[in-house]
């Protein structure tokens, strides 16, 4: 019996709650008067007088979808204040979502009230269309905000661009594009610490960003942290295995820690990608020499000679190599 009473009370509370949401869309008293006055000013394109009246409506009716859309539209179309427009479209989106939640709850407890709510509120006021519109316009707001921030960046107003990109990051914290622009802005300002911080953030957000991994590796290399540099160059190489720069850098770092075997493996990949890369061939010769693999070293030198037969340094190195290997017939040639 007690359980039944609780269920009845719960149903009544949900119905009352839905009525309150519905009431939020039906303006009364001063709010209703201000809304009508604001509409008159809006029809006259007098946005300076219309806006404060609409805002007063929202003070007492913060979930009034129609007012939220009108205010968002004023900021979007007339004031070009895209952060404000984004904010009001978000509020409209949330208000519609709340109404949908009430509708879903009523479908469980009172199907007739649910149908009434749908007809009088959701369908009549075209909330499905409004929800789709809010999502589209929010996306447009973000694009315009990004373009404004990018324009400041291009004009070398880095402090302004950073402030605008920070605003973007608040409304869309998962945007790797925004974080990357913040990194570039701080880089151009000469703030190495903040630049590196944002590089790491971009890498964690975008597993396919080759460039940022190259930059992170470069920072670690400059710091003398060869292990981390190798790790990040390897990640870049996995993302783009056809970029010889990744493997060349890997070879250089491995050579610096006397890991000539891995240095040679990486440089051979460079040669695969760029068979005419004279620097890569001579570096491979150096690594093979350090590994005391004279045959492979000679092979790289001969390929270098084919590319640049007039290179005296290459010819002299081949001569020395042949002499040390006691290949006198070839040495005469």
């Amino acid at each position: 019996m007690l359980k039944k009473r609780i269920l009845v009370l719960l149903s009544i509370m949900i119905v009352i709650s839905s009525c309150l949401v519905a009431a939020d869309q039906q303006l009364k008293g001063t709010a209703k008067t201000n809304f009508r006055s604001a509409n008159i000013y809006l029809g006259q394109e007098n946005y300076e007088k219309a806006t404060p009246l609409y805002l007063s409506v929202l003070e007492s009716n913060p979930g009034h979808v129609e007012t939220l859309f009108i205010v968002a539209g004023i900021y979007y179309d007339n004031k070009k204040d895209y952060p404000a427009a984004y904010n009001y479209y978000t509020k409209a989106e949330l208000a519609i979502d709340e109404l949908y939640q009430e509708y879903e709850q009523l479908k469980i407890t009172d199907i007739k009230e649910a149908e009434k709510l749908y007809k009088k509120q959701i369908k009549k006021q075209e909330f499905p269309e409004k929800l789709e519109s809010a999502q589209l316009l929010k996306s447009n707001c973000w694009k315009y905000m990004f373009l404004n921030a990018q324009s400041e960046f291009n004009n070398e107003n880095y402090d302004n661009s950073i402030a605008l990109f920070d605003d973007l990051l608040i409304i869309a914290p998962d945007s790797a594009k925004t974080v990357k622009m913040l990194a570039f802005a701080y880089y151009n300002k000469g703030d190495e610490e903040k630049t590196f911080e944002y590089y790491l953030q971009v890498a964690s957000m975008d597993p396919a960003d080759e460039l940022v991994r190259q930059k992170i590796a470069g920072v670690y290399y400059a710091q003398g942290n060869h292990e981390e540099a190798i790790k990040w160059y390897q990640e870049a190489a996995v993302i783009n295995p056809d970029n010889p720069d990744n493997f060349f850098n890997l070879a250089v770092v491995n050579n610096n820690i006397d890991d000539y075997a891995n240095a040679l493996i990486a440089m051979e990949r460079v040669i695969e990608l760029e068979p005419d890369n004279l620097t890569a061939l001579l570096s491979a010769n150096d690594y093979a020499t350090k590994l005391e693999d004279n045959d492979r070293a000679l092979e790289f030198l001969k390929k270098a000679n084919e590319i640049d037969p007039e290179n005296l340094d290459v010819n002299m190195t081949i001569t020395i190599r042949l002499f040390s290997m006691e290949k006198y017939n070839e040495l005469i040639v």
Side-chain angles (χ1 to χ4, degrees):
M1 184 68 180
L2 179 60
K3 185 177 179 181
K4 185 176 181 182
R5 285 181 181 177
I6 292 172
L7 288 172
V8 170
L9 287 171
L10 181 61
S11 299
I12 292 170
M13 288 174 66
I14 291 172
V15 170
I16 291 172
S17 175
S18 68
C19 290
L20 289 173
V21 174
D24 285 346
Q25 305 304 312
Q26 302 297 321
L27 298 174
K28 295 179 182 178
T30 304
K32 188 174 183 179
T33 303
N34 287 342
F35 184 76
R36 287 176 175 175
S37 299
N39 283 344
I40 293 171
Y41 286 124
L42 184 66
Q44 297 169 353
E45 298 184 4
N46 189 340
Y47 305 110
E48 296 307 314
K49 288 189 175 181
T51 304
L53 288 169
Y54 283 126
L55 292 177
S56 71
V57 172
L58 291 175
E59 285 179 11
S60 54
N61 299 267
H64 193 252
V65 176
E66 187 175 356
T67 304
L68 287 168
F69 259 90
I70 293 171
V71 172
I74 291 172
Y75 282 112
Y76 182 92
D77 289 315
N78 305 105
K79 297 181 182 292
K80 309 299 181 186
D81 186 343
Y82 299 112
Y86 188 99
N87 179 43
Y88 283 105
Y89 281 128
T90 299
K91 289 181 178 180
E93 191 177 21
L94 290 173
I96 294 172
D97 283 340
E98 286 180 12
L99 198 61
Y100 268 110
Q101 288 174 22
E102 295 292 344
Y103 170 63
E104 293 298 327
Q105 286 291 334
L106 278 174
K107 284 195 329 186
I108 298 170
T109 58
D110 192 332
I111 191 65
K112 287 185 179 180
E113 284 296 328
E115 290 174 355
K116 189 188 297 184
L117 178 64
Y118 186 84
K119 286 181 181 179
K120 290 188 175 181
Q121 294 293 330
I122 296 174
K123 186 176 180 181
K124 185 178 180 180
Q125 298 194 42
E126 299 179 340
F127 283 158
E129 292 80 3
K130 279 187 169 68
L131 188 60
E132 186 177 343
S133 177
Q135 292 165 348
L136 175 63
L137 290 166
K138 279 176 63 179
S139 175
N140 288 346
C141 286
W142 191 93
K143 290 175 185 175
Y144 285 125
M145 290 167 69
F146 190 90
L147 289 173
N148 288 341
Q150 196 169 46
S151 176
E152 292 292 323
F153 176 88
N154 293 337
N155 291 328
E156 299 183 6
N157 298 323
Y158 300 122
D159 288 333
N160 289 344
S161 72
I162 286 170
L164 292 170
F165 282 125
D166 279 337
D167 289 340
L168 277 169
L169 208 55
I170 291 171
I171 65 175
D174 58 344
S175 171
K177 194 175 181 181
T178 301
V179 178
K180 192 182 297 185
M181 288 305 302
L182 279 166
F184 293 155
Y186 278 112
Y187 176 82
N188 288 349
K189 281 190 66 178
D191 191 331
E192 295 179 2
E193 186 176 340
K194 293 293 288 184
T195 300
F196 189 60
E197 175 188 326
Y198 282 112
Y199 279 158
L200 290 172
Q201 197 172 333
V202 173
S204 68
M205 298 168 74
D206 187 355
D209 194 313
E210 175 193 12
L211 177 61
V212 78
R213 282 163 173 76
Q214 291 173 335
K215 290 187 176 297
I216 291 170
V219 172
Y220 278 125
Y221 178 71
Q223 293 174 350
N225 191 337
H226 296 105
E227 287 185 8
E228 284 295 320
I230 289 170
K231 168 192 165 185
W232 288 97
Y233 279 132
Q234 284 175 334
E235 287 195 17
V238 169
I239 292 169
N240 187 1
D242 294 326
N243 185 349
D245 291 343
N246 293 324
F247 296 97
F248 194 97
N249 291 328
L250 264 175
V252 170
V253 181
N254 277 300
N255 178 59
N256 282 0
I257 59 174
D258 300 333
D259 186 350
Y260 307 124
N262 280 318
L264 182 56
I265 290 170
M267 197 58 76
E268 283 185 307
R269 177 60 181 156
V270 177
I271 295 167
E272 283 180 32
L273 295 167
E274 295 181 339
D276 295 336
N277 189 325
L278 187 64
T279 302
L281 287 165
L282 294 176
S283 296
N285 158 65
D286 181 47
Y287 304 151
T289 300
K290 290 173 179 177
L291 290 168
E292 298 182 356
D293 190 339
N294 293 325
D295 288 329
R296 292 177 79 189
L298 182 61
E299 179 186 336
F300 294 127
L301 286 170
K302 286 181 176 179
K303 287 181 179 178
N305 177 254
E306 290 173 8
I307 295 167
D308 188 4
E310 303 301 322
N311 190 312
L312 183 60
D313 289 335
V314 173
N315 286 329
M316 285 296 294
T317 306
I318 291 176
T319 302
I320 294 168
R321 175 76 58 200
L322 290 170
F323 183 81
S324 67
M325 296 173 69
E326 300 181 357
K327 293 191 175 185
Y328 303 121
N329 290 334
E330 288 188 60
L331 177 57
I332 293 170
V333 174

